[in-house]
Amino acid sequence: MTAWVGWVLFAGIVVFTVGFFNVIQGLVALLNSALYRTPRGGLPIVENYAAWGWTLLIFGVILCATGYGVLVGRTWARAVGVIVAFLNALANMAFVAAYPIWITMTVALNVLAIFALVVHGGEARGLRQR
């Protein structure tokens, strides 16, 4: 293991955290969609909050599982983490007009996680116990 393994741990924690944020966002969209209400035409999506709530909830669960996989050194988690973090950032951009600070934070964490997984993801092999 090298000192760069810290980036991999960081990525795992960030992916897990972003997943947790998505679970919260999904639950809010399902249970209290009034929080996301914007003036007509304010969101670039059809205002079907139940569909977006379920989408964010599913992304959140996948991201939490992927974050755990990265933390324990699974190779599949690195690849899945990059793909799902990218898709999650795109999905969250649909809500930027409704809640810009929260979405900006979530997208920034996705970008940091993608960077850490792509640049130093190979260090995750050292995290697995043999």
Side-chain angles (χ1 to χ4, degrees):
M1 265 197 305
T2 67
W4 291 109
V5 76
W7 272 104
V8 178
L9 292 174
F10 171 75
I13 292 168
V14 167
V15 169
F16 187 86
T17 303
V18 168
F20 184 71
F21 286 168
N22 272 16
V23 168
I24 291 171
Q25 285 177 298
L27 290 174
V28 168
L30 289 171
L31 303 174
N32 185 14
S33 62
L35 182 67
Y36 290 119
R37 301 268 187 231
T38 59
R40 189 144 183 89
L43 293 177
I45 60 168
V46 177
E47 294 179 12
N48 184 351
Y49 294 104
W52 278 103
W54 282 109
T55 301
L56 291 173
L57 195 61
I58 291 168
F59 267 121
V61 170
I62 292 171
L63 283 165
C64 284
T66 302
Y68 175 76
V70 170
L71 288 173
V72 297
R74 300 291 174 212
T75 304
W76 64 266
R78 177 182 172 199
V80 171
V82 171
I83 294 166
V84 176
F86 175 74
L87 293 174
N88 183 51
L90 289 178
N92 273 283
M93 291 302 289
F95 280 108
V96 77
Y99 209 54
I101 295 172
W102 185 269
I103 300 305
T104 302
M105 181 177 63
T106 305
V107 170
L109 288 172
N110 277 304
V111 170
L112 285 172
I114 291 169
F115 169 77
L117 289 172
V118 169
V119 175
H120 302 292
E123 299 292 323
R125 285 172 284 191
L127 295 174
R128 265 187 281 177
Q129 295 179 2
R130 298 177 199 269

